[in-house]
PDB file of all heavy atoms in Angstrom:
ATOM      1  N   SER A1306      40.822 259.017   3.356  1.00  0.00           N
ATOM      2  CA  SER A1306      41.876 259.463   2.434  1.00  0.00           C
ATOM      3  C   SER A1306      42.190 260.937   2.675  1.00  0.00           C
ATOM      4  O   SER A1306      43.350 261.347   2.686  1.00  0.00           O
ATOM      5  CB  SER A1306      41.415 259.291   0.980  1.00  0.00           C
ATOM      6  OG  SER A1306      41.259 257.919   0.687  1.00  0.00           O
ATOM      7  N   ASP A1307      41.138 261.713   2.875  1.00  0.00           N
ATOM      8  CA  ASP A1307      41.312 263.150   3.087  1.00  0.00           C
ATOM      9  C   ASP A1307      42.039 263.413   4.408  1.00  0.00           C
ATOM     10  O   ASP A1307      42.908 264.285   4.500  1.00  0.00           O
ATOM     11  CB  ASP A1307      39.926 263.804   3.087  1.00  0.00           C
ATOM     12  CG  ASP A1307      39.996 265.292   2.843  1.00  0.00           C
ATOM     13  OD1 ASP A1307      41.003 265.752   2.266  1.00  0.00           O
ATOM     14  OD2 ASP A1307      39.037 265.992   3.239  1.00  0.00           O
ATOM     15  N   VAL A1308      41.691 262.622   5.431  1.00  0.00           N
ATOM     16  CA  VAL A1308      42.323 262.764   6.743  1.00  0.00           C
ATOM     17  C   VAL A1308      43.827 262.436   6.600  1.00  0.00           C
ATOM     18  O   VAL A1308      44.695 263.097   7.170  1.00  0.00           O
ATOM     19  CB  VAL A1308      41.648 261.815   7.770  1.00  0.00           C
ATOM     20  CG1 VAL A1308      42.457 261.646   9.035  1.00  0.00           C
ATOM     21  CG2 VAL A1308      40.238 262.339   8.104  1.00  0.00           C
ATOM     22  N   LYS A1309      44.119 261.432   5.790  1.00  0.00           N
ATOM     23  CA  LYS A1309      45.508 261.071   5.534  1.00  0.00           C
ATOM     24  C   LYS A1309      46.208 262.195   4.747  1.00  0.00           C
ATOM     25  O   LYS A1309      47.344 262.539   5.030  1.00  0.00           O
ATOM     26  CB  LYS A1309      45.536 259.761   4.751  1.00  0.00           C
ATOM     27  CG  LYS A1309      46.568 258.789   5.298  1.00  0.00           C
ATOM     28  CD  LYS A1309      46.398 257.417   4.707  1.00  0.00           C
ATOM     29  CE  LYS A1309      47.703 256.900   4.109  1.00  0.00           C
ATOM     30  NZ  LYS A1309      48.897 257.049   4.931  1.00  0.00           N
ATOM     31  N   ASN A1310      45.497 262.753   3.772  1.00  0.00           N
ATOM     32  CA  ASN A1310      46.084 263.856   3.004  1.00  0.00           C
ATOM     33  C   ASN A1310      46.414 265.043   3.899  1.00  0.00           C
ATOM     34  O   ASN A1310      47.331 265.811   3.620  1.00  0.00           O
ATOM     35  CB  ASN A1310      45.112 264.319   1.901  1.00  0.00           C
ATOM     36  CG  ASN A1310      45.087 263.351   0.740  1.00  0.00           C
ATOM     37  OD1 ASN A1310      45.870 262.404   0.674  1.00  0.00           O
ATOM     38  ND2 ASN A1310      44.174 263.568  -0.207  1.00  0.00           N
ATOM     39  N   ALA A1311      45.634 265.214   4.959  1.00  0.00           N
ATOM     40  CA  ALA A1311      45.857 266.341   5.868  1.00  0.00           C
ATOM     41  C   ALA A1311      47.074 266.084   6.772  1.00  0.00           C
ATOM     42  O   ALA A1311      47.457 266.942   7.556  1.00  0.00           O
ATOM     43  CB  ALA A1311      44.612 266.573   6.725  1.00  0.00           C
ATOM     44  N   GLY A1312      47.696 264.917   6.626  1.00  0.00           N
ATOM     45  CA  GLY A1312      48.936 264.651   7.368  1.00  0.00           C
ATOM     46  C   GLY A1312      48.803 263.681   8.517  1.00  0.00           C
ATOM     47  O   GLY A1312      49.781 263.397   9.211  1.00  0.00           O
ATOM     48  N   HIS A1313      47.608 263.157   8.753  1.00  0.00           N
ATOM     49  CA  HIS A1313      47.450 262.202   9.842  1.00  0.00           C
ATOM     50  C   HIS A1313      47.790 260.794   9.362  1.00  0.00           C
ATOM     51  O   HIS A1313      47.728 260.507   8.164  1.00  0.00           O
ATOM     52  CB  HIS A1313      45.982 262.190  10.333  1.00  0.00           C
ATOM     53  CG  HIS A1313      45.524 263.524  10.856  1.00  0.00           C
ATOM     54  ND1 HIS A1313      46.068 264.095  11.988  1.00  0.00           N
ATOM     55  CD2 HIS A1313      44.593 264.389  10.397  1.00  0.00           C
ATOM     56  CE1 HIS A1313      45.455 265.257  12.203  1.00  0.00           C
ATOM     57  NE2 HIS A1313      44.564 265.464  11.256  1.00  0.00           N
TER      58      HIS A1313
END
Side-chain angles (χ1 to χ4, degrees):
S1306 294
D1307 199 23
V1308 166
K1309 225 169 127 47
N1310 284 353
H1313 300 295

